[in-house]
Amino acid sequence: MEMAERLISMISAFSFLSLILLFGFPENVSANTEGDALNALRTNLVDPNNVLQSWDPTLVNPCTWFHVSCNSENSVTRVDLGNANLTGTLVPQLGQLPNLQYLELYSNNISGRIPEELGNLTNLVSLDLYLNNLTGPIPNTLSKLGKLRFLRLNNNSLSGTIPVSLTNVSSLQVLDLSNNNLTGDIPVNGSFTLFTPISFQNNKFNPVPPSPPPPLSPSSPASSDILYPMSSLVS
Amino acid sequence: MRLQNPGIAFRSMYFLCVSLLYSMRLFQPTTVVLSAAVGNETDRLALLKFKESISNDPNGVLSSWNDSVHFCGWRGVSCSRKHQRITTLNLSGYNLGGTVTPYVGNFTFLRILNLGSNSFFGEIPQQVGRLFRMRRLNLSDNILEGKIPVNLSYCLELKVFDLGKNRLIGDIPLELGSLVKLEILDLGTLRNLTDFSIGPNYLSGVIPPSLYNISSMRIFIVEDNEFYGTIPRNIGLTLPNLREFEVGVNNFYGKIPESISNASQLQVFDIPNNYFVGQVPESSGNLPDLLRLNLYANNLGDYSANSLDFIASLINCSKLEMLSLEGNNFGGILPDSVANLSTKLTELDLGGNRISGKIPAGLQNLVNSTVLSMYVNLFTGNIPASLGTLRNLKILYLDQNILSGKIPISIGNLTKIYQLNLSCNKLQGSIPPSIGDCQNLQFVGMSSNRLSGAIPKEFFGLYSSIHLDLSRNSLTGDLPVEVGNLKHISLLDLTGNNFIGEIPETIGHCESMEYLYLGGNFFKGPLPSQIASLKGLQYLDVSLNDFTGQIPKGLAKLPFLVYFNMSFNDLEGEVPSNGIFRNTSVVSVVGNTKLCGGVSELQLPGCSEKGKISGIEIEVEHGNINFENPNQIVSHLRKCLVSVLEIGLACSQESPNERMSMGDVTRELKHIRNAYLSIS
């Protein structure tokens, strides 16, 4: 009967579709709250030391989670996971912590890229991702971090150039980009006037052009200078 | 006439009767059973209306909702086989934004409506009351507002009712007698409810007693609203199937009913942040499945001596993982039976009560403890060394008690600990070097004790340290150069001890330093200029020490320095006038007699070219006078006159403090007379 045939084909189509729906699309995590954002991070990290064991997303807020600090309004201000033997990757949801001031993820084995969403953390004072396996570029969105004082990304495998816009972060006081694969020029203006070569060493930056020699005094050179020019004048 | 095929006839009759009965059962005053085809169309159109009221679909979830596919195959939609009517609409966790269309009321075959964890706003339409077959309603974790629709009380099949984590307002008012007014929401009609969650929201009023009479109830969550009233005395009898009872952050009061133990499957009893009074029923021990007993922030206990006796009964709760009595009125001693609580216990919170007596050494039995919190109580005696065996401990709060004796060496065995607070006790002796083994320590408080001896060097091997507060003790010795190893330290407070020696230059390596408090010690020598390398420094206090030398000029360039107290030292030389030094309300120099310069509000004397104070030190030359040489006589006379005039200047300084005293004047004049006018 036509009806039955139609019914059977509908049912099989439906089952086929529901199978796709079941296995074809990853489960989405709503990120309405800060707890959800941190839980997304937990999902993406491998945690052999169980430092994230207390991270229970069913709780009202993440303020009782270990290594998470909150302000008096129960909004996250610090995440202190330095030296915690973590691997895995960071997540874009980290940008959904509007009151975060300290993001401490140093000395782990975290890989992947630095999410550009970190640029949304407008209250961030300290970003410590050093001593990890991060790759990819330094996101230029980090220049939106108008309160950033400490930026330590050293000892990773970051590539690309230093975003020039970072020189506009006037609060920046401590910068360490050493021991990466960064290329291009080292900015010298804006906030970067504070920093010495130590902040940039062991990368693949364009060599800094040597400074021109100082002009000779108007008096005529001694003959000995012509025959044996002073070594300090030769770059 | 004989029927040719009586089997078929009977079967047809049978099916006719069944369908008649079936259609009669389905007959409701508010709906009309239509043919399947028309019902399909209703559902399809309603789905399209639903899609229309979605204003934001960041994951493109509804892109499959078009006519290329039958609607039963649309994402999140399931249909009944027989009638091809929607039975399930599940779009949870897709970040959908928009309103819930009233057309959802047309899904009359709907059993499951799950729109949880999205960004639906506006009100819940009254038309949900038409979903009389609905068994599971989940609108939780959205931003829905307005009132809970009264018509929901018509959804008599409801088992799961979850509207938690929204912005719902209004009362759930009491049923008035037997009159059920249409406008009053009376969810007591939902006799099949198993899961009921309406928290957090902004709901208020009293929980209608009828809700406590739904015996199928397993999960009851009203936390974080503004409900008030008491828990009924016989709740354990009327809700015998209760598994989770969460009423925290409301205005409930009264006692915890003894009958609660009749709810023998209870796993979670969570009543924090209310006004409950009285004692904890000893019958709580009769809850073998109890996982979590959270009584935080109530008025339980009456400070009575036996208020913690109930703990002995809890030892039967072999699955107990969390026990919080924090922030109540418990008194008396902590019974030793606490050691016999389940070894599954990870969190024990007793802080903020008036518990006295000793800390039981038997706490070492709670081998899975991660949080042990006993702050703000009246505990006396020693910190038991046995606590060192709690190798999973991450947080230990013993601050603000009356503990004495030494910090046990076994503290070094707490290798996972990251927060340790022993402040405000009467602890003595020295800090054990074994603390260096606690490599995960980040926040350490030992202030306001009677600790003595030097800080062990191992302390400065705690590389992860963020806050280190050792203030107000009797600690001695130097600040070792190893302090520079603390790359992440943000707060270092050594105020009010007996520290000596000079501040090492390596302090400049503590590049994350924000709060450096060294006041009230016996530090000497100069303030290292490397302090100006602490680019994030906000608060600096070196007052009440014996620091000498000049103020490092670089301090004026620290962009975030908002407080600098150097009072009562022996500093000298020029006070800068730039940076923080422009603001005299946040800079304190008092008690340094040799400082000069700075902004005029500081009222310091001016500095000479050498940067030292001028006008007080008179340089008087001595030498043999040879009156044969007229040049020498003139030069000699000039020097004599200059010396006298210098005294004159010193006497006429603006501030009386800076003027020379009469005794000094007399002495200097005598000096000049002897030097220049005595004839050898």
Side-chain angles (χ1 to χ4, degrees):
Chain A
M1 276 166 47
E2 214 193 312
M3 187 73 169
E5 278 172 22
R6 223 193 294 164
L7 209 62
I8 286 166
S9 56
M10 243 185 257
I11 287 170
S12 39
F14 173 70
S15 334
F16 177 64
L17 275 166
S18 47
L19 275 171
I20 290 184
L21 288 169
L22 210 54
F23 298 114
F25 299 93
E27 202 195 306
N28 240 313
V29 177
S30 163
N32 285 342
T33 66
E34 298 182 352
D36 289 340
L38 290 175
N39 194 51
L41 177 67
R42 183 195 183 183
T43 315
N44 268 48
L45 291 176
V46 179
D47 176 24
N49 290 3
N50 271 331
V51 293
L52 305 178
Q53 195 172 29
S54 63
W55 286 30
D56 177 359
T58 67
L59 294 178
V60 158
N61 58 52
C63 299
T64 55
W65 297 3
F66 295 145
H67 305 292
V68 174
S69 307
C70 292
N71 61 16
S72 53
E73 267 118 47
N74 287 332
S75 184
V76 178
T77 53
R78 300 188 66 109
V79 174
D80 288 297
L81 288 171
N83 211 10
N85 209 6
L86 297 166
T87 52
T89 59
L90 303 177
V91 294
Q93 288 90 330
L94 275 175
Q96 284 161 10
L97 300 165
N99 291 310
L100 190 65
Q101 295 175 331
Y102 299 84
L103 183 56
E104 308 297 309
L105 296 168
Y106 61 87
S107 287
N108 285 290
N109 259 324
I110 300 172
S111 52
R113 298 160 87 101
I114 301 175
E116 41 177 54
E117 288 80 359
L118 292 188
N120 295 338
L121 299 169
T122 48
N123 279 307
L124 202 64
V125 163
S126 169
L127 179 59
D128 283 326
L129 303 176
Y130 68 89
L131 280 166
N132 277 293
N133 289 334
L134 295 166
T135 53
I138 301 172
N140 62 4
T141 51
L142 294 187
S143 59
K144 295 195 294 177
L145 301 175
K147 297 187 185 172
L148 196 64
R149 299 178 192 178
F150 304 95
L151 180 58
R152 291 176 279 218
L153 305 177
N154 50 296
N155 293 81
N156 278 290
S157 302
L158 297 170
S159 56
T161 61
I162 302 176
V164 172
S165 48
L166 276 179
T167 61
N168 292 335
V169 182
S170 52
S171 50
L172 203 55
Q173 292 297 309
V174 173
L175 176 72
D176 194 343
L177 303 177
S178 62
N179 297 297
N180 276 291
N181 289 333
L182 298 165
T183 54
D185 291 327
I186 300 174
V188 293
N189 56 326
S191 54
F192 276 51
T193 55
L194 284 175
F195 307 128
T196 66
I198 298 176
S199 299
F200 306 103
Q201 66 191 9
N202 287 344
N203 275 287
K204 296 186 185 155
F205 291 117
N206 294 338
V208 179
S211 12
L216 290 174
S217 59
S219 57
S220 51
S223 51
S224 59
D225 285 339
I226 296 172
L227 286 172
Y228 308 104
M230 293 201 306
S231 55
S232 60
L233 288 176
V234 176
S235 48
Chain B
M1 189 167 66
R2 263 189 31 209
L3 287 165
Q4 281 212 310
N5 203 335
I8 292 177
F10 275 122
R11 240 180 279 145
S12 314
M13 285 293 291
Y14 171 71
F15 280 123
L16 189 65
C17 291
V18 164
S19 17
L20 268 174
L21 282 166
Y22 186 56
S23 51
M24 273 167 63
R25 183 176 166 271
L26 291 177
F27 182 76
Q28 293 286 336
T30 52
T31 61
V32 177
V33 177
L34 300 171
S35 70
V38 180
N40 275 352
E41 198 52 25
T42 312
D43 280 358
R44 190 183 72 85
L45 288 171
L47 279 174
L48 289 174
K49 285 288 183 189
F50 181 90
K51 182 176 179 180
E52 265 176 41
S53 51
I54 302 295
S55 48
N56 192 22
D57 179 14
N59 297 306
V61 164
L62 303 184
S63 57
S64 66
W65 287 30
N66 53 58
D67 288 321
S68 63
V69 173
H70 187 271
F71 68 82
C72 287
W74 289 357
R75 177 91 160 267
V77 177
S78 305
C79 293
S80 64
R81 257 182 9 157
K82 198 163 176 182
H83 294 110
Q84 291 287 283
R85 298 292 307 277
I86 293 177
T87 52
T88 300
L89 181 60
N90 186 346
L91 294 168
S92 129
Y94 286 140
N95 263 326
L96 294 168
T99 58
V100 181
T101 174
Y103 281 84
V104 290
N106 287 357
F107 300 132
T108 47
F109 276 64
L110 197 66
R111 290 189 166 185
I112 299 176
L113 178 59
N114 187 347
L115 303 176
S117 295
N118 282 295
S119 299
F120 282 101
F121 53 87
E123 301 205 3
I124 303 171
Q126 287 286 344
Q127 286 78 359
V128 291
R130 297 177 56 205
L131 302 174
F132 54 87
R133 288 185 179 84
M134 187 160 57
R135 294 196 182 167
R136 302 168 83 90
L137 172 64
N138 186 340
L139 301 176
S140 68
D141 196 12
N142 280 288
I143 36 179
L144 295 164
E145 357 170 69
K147 296 190 169 194
I148 301 177
V150 297
N151 288 354
L152 272 173
S153 55
Y154 291 129
C155 301
L156 301 180
E157 296 292 316
L158 266 178
K159 297 184 72 164
V160 172
F161 184 106
D162 191 349
L163 303 182
K165 265 192 180 181
N166 276 295
R167 299 179 184 173
L168 301 169
I169 58 166
D171 292 27
I172 309 185
L174 282 171
E175 182 185 337
L176 297 176
S178 55
L179 283 172
V180 179
K181 294 188 184 171
L182 272 176
E183 59 266 26
I184 294 174
L185 173 67
D186 177 20
L187 298 171
T189 54
L190 307 176
R191 309 305 306 167
N192 291 322
L193 272 182
T194 59
D195 295 27
F196 180 73
S197 172
I198 50 173
N201 272 298
Y202 304 128
L203 301 164
S204 54
V206 188
I207 302 284
S210 53
L211 264 178
Y212 292 116
N213 272 333
I214 300 176
S215 58
S216 51
M217 190 78 75
R218 296 188 327 175
I219 295 182
F220 186 84
I221 299 177
V222 302
E223 74 173 329
D224 202 0
N225 279 289
E226 281 164 54
F227 292 119
Y228 68 94
T230 61
I231 303 178
R233 282 190 146 240
N234 56 355
I235 188 175
L237 299 163
T238 59
L239 301 180
N241 293 305
L242 209 52
R243 285 197 175 58
E244 286 181 35
F245 185 75
E246 293 173 34
V247 302
V249 196
N250 279 291
N251 297 324
F252 289 110
Y253 51 88
K255 292 185 162 198
I256 301 173
E258 297 238 2
S259 68
I260 196 71
S261 57
N262 285 65
S264 53
Q265 295 167 70
L266 193 63
Q267 295 172 351
V268 173
F269 191 73
D270 199 286
I271 61 169
N273 294 94
N274 279 293
Y275 300 94
F276 289 107
V277 294
Q279 305 296 341
V280 180
E282 303 230 344
S283 57
S284 313
N286 296 338
L287 296 168
D289 289 342
L290 196 62
L291 294 171
R292 189 181 162 89
L293 180 58
N294 183 358
L295 310 176
Y296 167 71
N298 281 286
N299 297 326
L300 297 163
D302 301 332
Y303 298 123
S304 64
N306 56 353
S307 53
L308 292 177
D309 286 357
F310 75 93
I311 291 184
S313 65
L314 286 178
I315 64 179
N316 291 329
C317 303
S318 60
K319 301 183 186 171
L320 195 63
E321 293 175 359
M322 186 269 197
L323 174 61
S324 176
L325 309 178
E326 182 175 325
N328 278 286
N329 301 340
F330 290 106
I333 63 158
L334 182 60
D336 285 334
S337 53
V338 73
N340 295 334
L341 289 173
S342 163
T343 52
K344 297 209 168 77
L345 198 69
T346 55
E347 183 168 343
L348 180 59
D349 295 309
L350 303 171
N353 285 291
R354 289 198 201 161
I355 307 173
S356 54
K358 299 219 190 319
I359 299 178
L363 282 172
Q364 67 171 329
N365 292 352
L366 304 176
V367 293
N368 282 313
S369 291
T370 55
V371 175
L372 184 56
S373 169
M374 301 163 75
Y375 70 94
V376 179
N377 274 296
L378 302 167
F379 284 108
T380 52
N382 288 14
I383 302 174
S386 62
L387 290 185
T389 61
L390 298 174
R391 52 186 184 75
N392 288 314
L393 211 56
K394 301 205 67 158
I395 292 183
L396 179 60
Y397 293 151
L398 299 176
D399 52 290
Q400 300 174 80
N401 279 288
I402 325 174
L403 296 168
S404 54
K406 300 175 81 156
I407 301 173
I409 299 174
S410 58
I411 202 121
N413 294 340
L414 301 175
T415 52
K416 294 191 186 173
I417 199 166
Y418 89 102
Q419 290 199 30
L420 173 65
N421 198 341
L422 306 175
S423 304
C424 300
N425 279 292
K426 298 196 197 309
L427 299 169
Q428 30 126 300
S430 50
I431 301 171
S434 57
I435 197 144
D437 295 337
C438 303
Q439 277 293 309
N440 284 303
L441 268 177
Q442 293 177 347
F443 300 92
V444 180
M446 296 185 180
S447 74
S448 301
N449 276 292
R450 298 170 185 178
L451 298 171
S452 57
I455 309 179
K457 283 217 173 49
E458 289 83 349
F459 225 110
F460 300 104
L462 298 176
Y463 183 74
S464 303
S465 289
I466 298 171
H467 285 185
L468 197 48
D469 184 358
L470 301 174
S471 60
R472 282 163 266 277
N473 279 289
S474 305
L475 296 165
T476 56
D478 291 55
L479 185 58
V481 298
E482 284 83 353
V483 67
N485 295 342
L486 301 178
K487 284 267 174 298
H488 283 280
I489 195 150
S490 157
L491 181 145
L492 178 61
D493 192 348
L494 303 177
T495 307
N497 278 286
N498 300 329
F499 289 116
I500 55 172
E502 301 196 0
I503 304 296
E505 294 180 347
T506 49
I507 193 92
H509 294 160
C510 301
E511 46 185 40
S512 307
M513 188 78 76
E514 294 172 308
Y515 306 87
L516 181 56
Y517 299 133
L518 304 172
N521 283 289
F522 300 101
F523 286 118
K524 63 182 177 67
L527 292 173
S529 57
Q530 287 82 359
I531 293 185
S533 312
L534 304 175
K535 294 295 181 188
L537 196 61
Q538 297 176 34
Y539 288 78
L540 177 60
D541 191 329
V542 299
S543 62
L544 289 160
N545 277 291
D546 299 322
F547 285 113
T548 53
Q550 309 234 351
I551 299 169
K553 297 264 181 291
L555 290 177
K557 299 218 185 76
L558 289 177
F560 304 111
L561 194 59
V562 295
Y563 176 85
F564 181 22
N565 185 353
M566 51 184 137
S567 57
F568 299 104
N569 278 287
D570 208 10
L571 296 164
E572 60 178 27
E574 182 166 17
V575 178
S577 306
N578 54 341
I580 189 182
F581 298 99
R582 279 174 300 182
N583 185 350
T584 56
S585 61
V586 296
V587 171
S588 179
V589 301
V590 66
N592 289 283
T593 54
K594 300 187 202 145
L595 286 176
C596 63
V599 296
S600 53
E601 287 91 343
L602 284 176
Q603 298 192 321
L604 292 175
C607 302
S608 70
E609 277 171 23
K610 288 192 193 146
K612 293 197 181 239
I613 291 178
S614 59
I616 301 292
E617 283 174 320
I618 312 288
E619 292 195 35
V620 175
E621 278 195 34
H622 297 256
N624 288 326
I625 303 163
N626 184 353
F627 282 98
E628 309 293 3
N629 187 341
N631 279 338
Q632 214 186 30
I633 294 171
V634 167
S635 128
H636 208 69
L637 265 174
R638 198 190 315 136
K639 282 176 194 158
C640 174
L641 279 171
V642 164
S643 304
V644 172
L645 282 172
E646 275 182 349
I647 296 179
L649 276 173
C651 287
S652 46
Q653 289 288 333
E654 267 206 57
S655 160
N657 289 344
E658 295 157 17
R659 287 178 211 148
M660 229 174 182
S661 68
M662 283 318 296
D664 285 346
V665 168
T666 323
R667 195 172 50 242
E668 285 300 326
L669 283 172
K670 274 194 193 159
H671 199 188
I672 290 168
R673 188 196 61 188
N674 291 340
Y676 293 111
L677 300 177
S678 62
I679 298 163
S680 54

